[in-house]
Amino acid sequence: MNTASIKYYSTNGRSPVVSFREATIRGQAPDKGLYFPDRVPQLSVEFLAKLKSMSKAEIAFEVIKPYVAGEIADAELFRICEETVAFDFPLKKINGRISSLELFHGPTLAFKDVGARFMSRCLGQFSKQQSQKVTVLVATSGDTGSAVANGFLGVEGVDVVILYPSGKVSKVQELQLTTLGQNITALEVKGTFDDCQAMVKQAFADSDLTDKMFLTSANSINVARWLPQQFYYFYALQQWEGDEAPVISVPSGNFGNVCAGLLAHVSGLPTSQFVVACNENDVFSGYLNTSSFHPKAAVATISNAMDVGNPSNFVRILELFQHDHERIKRLISSYSINDAVTAETIAEVYKKHNYLLDPHGAVAYRALDFYLDEYPKRRGFILETAHPVKFSDVVEMITGQEIAIPESIRGLLSQEKKSQVINAEYGDLKEYLVGMP
Ligand SMILES: *Cc1c(COP(=O)(O)O)cnc(C)c1O
């Protein structure tokens, strides 16, 4: 076995190879490529044999340790793993052939909690070795901002500034962003999500600003957010019953989630097929059919966290399989599900199986259902990436039933929103950042 420490290279190949620490602090490589591990560690036979009896933290630690390559001391890394996965990941049977891996039991009720919690704690460790305070700057259309804010709350040496478009996030999402306080600031931008993103990009490109402060991003291409998303594929396999490996259906937008599952597969986790479930933004099926990839402008759907026309982690899938289109096509199937069918699926699964899907989970369910119609001997599970209450407007309209508010966010609804309103102008953002204590 190759025991040399894993290093990270840029998928564009024009930046130096870096350590886990450096890749986490930088986020994206200077040549605008994505960092990728220079080898994929292989799980041992012993590890797989004892998987079912290991704790969640033990699994997380074993899986992530080679990627961190000693940059965080073992005891500290174990503690980070424990904190990252300190909630449930139940695999629930919906019917005889489809189960649901519920990834919404974390603090902000979406799977992004896992990556955000792990990354924030790593950055907290690394910032201790930094003389300067680290400022995380992030633009959000909803789920990312809340997971990042929550993950970084109270992390010493790190300030978080979140930009969100005024009036364009759901009520639950806005409260999750604006009620935390401490080291988290929410800037309510009088503009769109694209404005927010453009302002953040301008800040990173402004050397006058970056000379004064240490800025980093917490978006999903960061390796410290991407890699820990492997953990719950192992938790699903722990709970999987039956001798045949499962088919796994992943509702996909930027492809970080599915790419983490594929990485676990390449490491030796026993899975069969992967289904990339997309809404009407379906550039991946085009790639599978033609072997060439054509990004498109995103269109708006009811599964809006997947409204991505140019998925940033697509290049990591190519990298993982050395651009071998045949191999990718054998392992991965893809289906595109439109809003009407998504809504129908929510209604049908609720009525027939008494299971409430959110719109993203519904896309995954329908895609897996199509796949299993073609391969009726197989069974599988979906990744249910968010709690339906996060999309209650849509879901309640479809089922005609009010969704019970989960205990964990009931307190949130009575709290007061605290945001700072700014114009959609870079000057306003800069003025705020420069004035920070
Ligand atoms: C972010 C998100 C997705 C898409 O995940 P990717 O890793 O970007 O493919 C799916 N569902 C929900 C609820 C999300 O918040």
Side-chain angles (χ1 to χ4, degrees):
M1 198 178 101
N2 182 353
T3 52
S5 296
I6 288 181
K7 292 270 194 280
Y8 296 82
Y9 65 90
S10 166
T11 51
N12 282 351
R14 292 189 299 274
S15 293
V17 167
V18 298
S19 65
F20 176 75
R21 173 179 192 275
E22 186 92 14
T24 299
I25 291 176
R26 284 181 184 274
Q28 191 160 23
D31 65 5
K32 305 274 188 280
L34 270 62
Y35 283 120
F36 199 84
D38 62 4
R39 70 185 169 87
V40 177
Q42 296 300 299
L43 303 165
S44 69
V45 178
E46 299 80 57
F47 173 83
L48 290 170
K50 65 180 181 188
L51 184 65
K52 291 211 171 179
S53 62
M54 290 170 79
S55 73
K56 293 199 303 279
E58 282 167 351
I59 292 173
F61 177 77
E62 291 288 331
V63 169
I64 208 72
K65 187 175 143 83
Y67 292 99
V68 175
E71 301 268 302
I72 297 173
D74 280 359
E76 193 55 40
L77 183 61
F78 191 84
R79 192 188 58 80
I80 291 175
C81 288
E82 266 180 320
E83 289 178 9
T84 300
V85 298
F87 44 87
D88 293 336
F89 298 82
L91 183 68
K92 293 197 179 152
K93 240 189 195 120
I94 298 180
N95 57 41
R97 64 183 200 176
I98 299 183
S99 300
S100 169
L101 178 66
E102 295 183 348
L103 301 178
F104 55 70
H105 296 280
T108 73
L109 312 181
F111 81 98
K112 290 189 173 75
D113 279 327
V114 174
R117 286 162 76 83
F118 186 81
M119 179 192 166
S120 60
R121 285 160 178 81
C122 291
L123 205 57
Q125 281 297 307
F126 297 147
S127 76
K128 284 185 192 157
Q129 303 148 18
Q130 230 27 64
S131 54
Q132 240 178 334
K133 205 164 190 180
V134 176
T135 302
V136 173
L137 192 59
V138 63
T140 186
S141 57
D143 281 347
T144 297
S146 44
V148 167
N150 201 285
F152 279 93
L153 181 67
V155 174
E156 256 175 70
V158 182
D159 282 330
V160 178
V161 177
I162 298 165
L163 283 76
Y164 74 96
S166 181
K168 295 189 177 65
V169 301
S170 78
K171 183 176 158 69
V172 169
Q173 285 172 331
E174 182 167 43
L175 288 170
Q176 285 175 332
L177 290 173
T178 55
T179 55
L180 294 169
Q182 296 185 49
N183 58 331
I184 315 292
T185 306
L187 297 181
E188 180 174 354
V189 177
K190 288 194 261 179
T192 63
F193 169 63
D194 287 333
D195 292 329
C196 297
Q197 204 155 27
M199 289 160 76
V200 166
K201 279 196 178 146
Q202 205 171 340
F204 284 115
D206 180 355
S207 57
D208 180 43
L209 186 70
T210 54
D211 285 348
K212 290 194 185 77
M213 58 198 300
F214 195 103
L215 278 187
T216 189
S217 89
N219 66 22
S220 65
I221 61 175
N222 195 300
V223 292
R225 262 188 75 183
W226 173 50
L227 295 168
Q229 294 182 152
Q230 294 176 90
F231 298 165
Y232 39 74
Y233 289 89
F234 290 81
Y235 306 156
L237 264 288
Q238 274 191 306
Q239 301 170 71
W240 182 249
E241 289 166 5
D243 305 327
E244 295 271 333
V247 180
I248 304 176
S249 178
V250 187
S252 296
N254 258 324
F255 288 29
N257 205 4
V258 69
C259 197
L262 292 166
L263 187 62
H265 169 84
V266 172
S267 304
L269 189 70
T271 60
S272 69
Q273 194 79 7
F274 279 81
V275 173
V276 168
C278 294
N279 57 30
E280 278 156 87
N281 298 283
D282 70 335
V283 288
F284 194 70
S285 347
Y287 163 76
L288 288 181
N289 292 334
T290 65
S291 89
S292 59
F293 179 67
H294 301 287
K296 290 189 227 166
V299 300
T301 74
I302 57 170
S303 48
N304 59 19
M306 301 169 7
D307 294 349
V308 180
N310 187 7
S312 35
N313 284 289
F314 172 73
V315 53
R316 282 193 169 130
I317 297 183
L318 294 181
E319 209 65 29
L320 190 57
F321 299 103
Q322 290 96 38
H323 297 249
D324 183 344
H325 179 252
E326 281 307 311
R327 190 166 164 215
I328 294 173
K329 219 171 125 170
R330 265 196 316 267
L331 180 64
I332 310 174
S333 307
S334 187
Y335 298 86
S336 165
I337 311 297
N338 67 26
D339 275 0
V341 176
T342 304
E344 220 175 82
T345 304
I346 293 173
E348 186 192 301
V349 171
Y350 185 61
K351 206 165 138 219
K352 267 202 197 154
H353 307 296
N354 196 27
Y355 189 86
L356 190 60
L357 293 161
D358 97 293
H360 306 79
V363 168
Y365 180 95
R366 181 54 67 194
L368 182 54
D369 211 37
F370 282 145
Y371 177 86
L372 295 175
D373 284 345
E374 288 177 56
Y375 299 91
K377 292 212 174 98
R378 298 186 176 173
R379 292 186 304 127
F381 64 85
I382 62 162
L383 269 55
E384 178 43 301
T385 44
H387 193 290
V389 81
K390 286 196 101 168
F391 304 93
S392 56
D393 299 359
V394 174
V395 175
E396 287 178 354
M397 202 159 69
I398 294 166
T399 62
Q401 301 274 326
E402 202 175 319
I403 305 172
I405 307 284
E407 187 66 44
S408 63
I409 62 159
R410 236 170 263 167
L412 190 68
L413 299 175
S414 59
Q415 286 183 44
E416 200 189 332
K417 149 183 165 183
K418 285 197 199 78
S419 69
Q420 183 144 344
V421 181
I422 65 169
N423 292 314
E425 278 165 26
Y426 176 61
D428 278 28
L429 173 62
K430 185 168 180 176
E431 193 182 337
Y432 176 79
L433 291 173
V434 171
M436 276 171 70

